[in-house]
């Protein structure tokens, strides 16, 4: 779900914060959802626990989550995701299409592949 690009000029804690904020804003992570414990997410990403703790702290300061000692970090209620979710889907579609084109494919092939996968759902 969360990925950190160590070659990015953006620090790892900011990448984590931004990705989680986007998932919360778009409604992918709904109110009450418990985020992974700091140590677990840090281990999963191969980062120091302090890096993840800083991301969680900034999310809390931004009103995205609330944290309680022993109770974990939980997502707070957010405004309806509408446009933010639609834009996130468009961003992923752009990235997918760019990758298909990079591989020598066409937009039609990309749409056909998505249609085929959607039919399997």
């Amino acid at each position: 779900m969360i990925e950190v690009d160590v070659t990015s000029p953006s620090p790892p804690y900011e990448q984590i914060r931004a990705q989680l904020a986007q998932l919360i804003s778009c409604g992918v992570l709904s109110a009450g959802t418990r985020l992974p414990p700091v140590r677990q997410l840090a281990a999963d990403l191969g980062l120091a626990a302090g890096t993840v703790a800083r991301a969680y702290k900034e999310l809390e300061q931004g009103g995205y989550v609330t944290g309680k000692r022993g109770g974990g970090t939980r997502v707070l209620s957010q405004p309806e995701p509408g446009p933010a979710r639609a834009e996130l889907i468009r961003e992923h579609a752009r990235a997918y299409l760019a990758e298909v084109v990079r591989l020598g494919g066409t937009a039609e092939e990309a749409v056909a592949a998505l249609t085929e996968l959607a039919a399997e759902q």
Side-chain angles (χ1 to χ4, degrees):
M1 178 187 292
I2 303 296
E3 295 179 358
V4 174
D5 178 1
V6 294
T7 65
S8 172
S10 179
Y13 79 87
E14 175 56 23
Q15 293 178 50
I16 296 166
R17 187 212 59 78
Q19 290 176 54
L20 286 171
Q22 188 174 52
L23 292 171
I24 293 166
S25 295
C26 294
V28 174
L29 295 175
S30 59
T33 300
R34 187 173 177 176
L35 297 183
V38 168
R39 286 189 206 132
Q40 178 188 335
L41 185 56
D44 292 348
L45 297 173
L47 299 170
T51 301
V52 175
R54 180 167 179 188
Y56 280 18
K57 179 181 175 187
E58 293 201 6
L59 286 167
E60 190 166 9
Q61 291 172 342
Y64 291 97
V65 300
T66 185
K68 293 184 181 176
R69 195 168 209 79
T73 302
R74 296 191 181 270
V75 174
L76 292 172
S77 180
Q78 301 293 311
E80 284 299 312
R85 183 172 184 270
E87 182 54 33
L88 179 60
I89 291 170
R90 280 191 295 277
E91 285 177 27
H92 283 279
R94 276 187 213 100
Y96 168 66
L97 184 56
E99 184 65 13
V100 168
V101 169
R102 188 186 71 76
L103 294 170
T106 65
E108 291 76 19
E109 289 173 309
V111 170
L114 287 173
T115 302
E116 183 180 317
L117 288 173
E120 295 173 5
Q121 296 290 320

